[in-house]
Amino acid sequence: MSDKSKELAVVLVSGGMDSLVTAAIANEAHEKMAFLHLNYGQKTQERELECFNAIADFYNVPKKLRKIIDISFLTQIGGSSLTDDSINVKDYQGESEEIPDSYVPFRNTHIVAMAVSWSEVVGGKKIYIGAVYEDSSGYPDCRPSYYQALNNLIKEGTKDGDIEVVTPVIYLKKEEIVKKAISLNAPLSSSYSCYARGDKACGICDSCALRLRGFQLAGLEDPIEYDQRPNYL
């Protein structure tokens, strides 16, 4: 007899490694999952959507429980190298306390709001998101305190007040996320983390660098294709 929860889990799946591992963790805990993906005009939108569907196929998520929402108004707002063509994606510069220009203004709030609305419709009580605090390049919407505040808002602003956002990888280092992926047999080759291009990962943007360093620290080879693979150790 399965000890998995019968409660539907709504999982935010961007197609990146952190969201993949978050989906794998949700799969361990729940019998049924619904996957939500947001197209917001990011430079790697097509590749991320491919990864979303590949991950959903791997976990046998029914088509009716896959939701793809267009929030391309974020490109109209701009202000981020991910959505604004006038801002180039920067190469990795090492650790910094500054919020990078890859930060999409208030993005995670829009994303979680959509997930909460959909959860109210499909009956999900737990929303899984792959936010990572340490390796989040200083994004304010990846802080644990942000999710605490967000959950207070959801409690106040929903019909039954019983939907909760959970962040199972928020305190993990990238190498721990890589090892978690291996231990849960998550399909790493179906994930993609590059900010700059969709054909093959550049290997030098912030996101590629953090991912590659995670694999290097874990002593493992990243199965996806890169234009270049610098040593980040």
Side-chain angles (χ1 to χ4, degrees):
M1 187 169 159
S2 172
D3 57 357
K4 291 184 179 185
S5 169
K6 292 191 173 1
E7 208 170 68
L8 177 70
V10 172
V11 188
L12 290 159
V13 179
S14 67
M17 182 171 71
D18 301 338
S19 71
L20 165 65
V21 173
T22 299
I25 291 168
N27 182 61
E28 292 286 295
H30 296 263
E31 287 182 4
K32 291 189 302 177
M33 295 191 293
F35 277 12
L36 179 63
H37 181 81
L38 284 298
N39 287 332
Y40 56 94
Q42 66 273 40
K43 288 176 170 128
T44 54
Q45 179 171 292
E46 286 182 23
R47 182 65 179 270
E48 288 184 23
L49 185 56
E50 280 175 26
C51 290
F52 166 78
N53 280 311
I55 295 165
D57 288 345
F58 183 87
Y59 289 110
N60 298 311
V61 176
K63 290 283 195 285
K64 66 178 183 180
L65 289 177
R66 301 181 195 187
K67 183 70 73 180
I68 298 157
I69 299 178
D70 187 302
I71 55 169
S72 53
F73 67 84
L74 287 176
T75 61
Q76 293 173 265
I77 292 166
S80 166
S81 60
L82 303 195
T83 58
D84 192 328
D85 287 335
S86 69
I87 306 172
N88 291 325
V89 172
K90 305 293 187 296
D91 293 351
Y92 180 62
Q93 302 294 326
E95 301 297 326
S96 171
E97 294 297 310
E98 287 183 25
I99 294 171
D101 60 22
S102 57
Y103 164 66
V104 180
F106 219 42
R107 182 193 67 178
N108 284 356
T109 315
H110 294 290
I111 290 173
V112 172
M114 308 263 177
V116 172
S117 295
W118 193 38
S119 295
E120 286 209 281
V121 174
V122 295
K125 302 299 181 191
K126 294 279 189 291
I127 296 169
Y128 284 76
I129 186 169
V132 178
Y133 181 44
E134 188 191 62
D135 285 339
S136 62
S137 305
Y139 296 151
D141 54 0
C142 285
R143 296 172 186 153
S145 56
Y146 163 82
Y147 288 99
Q148 191 178 353
L150 202 54
N151 274 325
N152 288 335
L153 175 65
I154 293 164
K155 194 177 176 67
E156 290 294 324
T158 51
K159 189 169 59 178
D160 297 322
D162 57 354
I163 295 170
E164 180 189 14
V165 178
V166 290
T167 53
V169 299
I170 200 160
Y171 290 116
L172 297 186
K173 294 178 170 65
K174 272 288 190 285
E175 66 266 30
E176 293 173 320
I177 291 172
V178 170
K179 289 174 180 174
K180 192 78 172 169
I182 299 295
S183 72
L184 294 176
N185 193 33
L188 282 164
S189 59
S190 295
S191 67
Y192 193 75
S193 304
C194 184
Y195 286 158
R197 51 193 281 189
D199 55 344
K200 65 170 91 164
C202 72
I204 54 174
C205 70
D206 276 356
S207 189
C208 280
L210 292 171
R211 175 173 172 143
L212 278 170
R213 188 177 68 181
F215 272 92
Q216 289 162 4
L217 286 167
L220 297 162
E221 180 89 0
D222 189 344
I224 72 166
E225 189 181 3
Y226 283 88
D227 183 52
Q228 51 185 300
R229 288 178 183 248
N231 183 357
Y232 289 107
L233 297 182

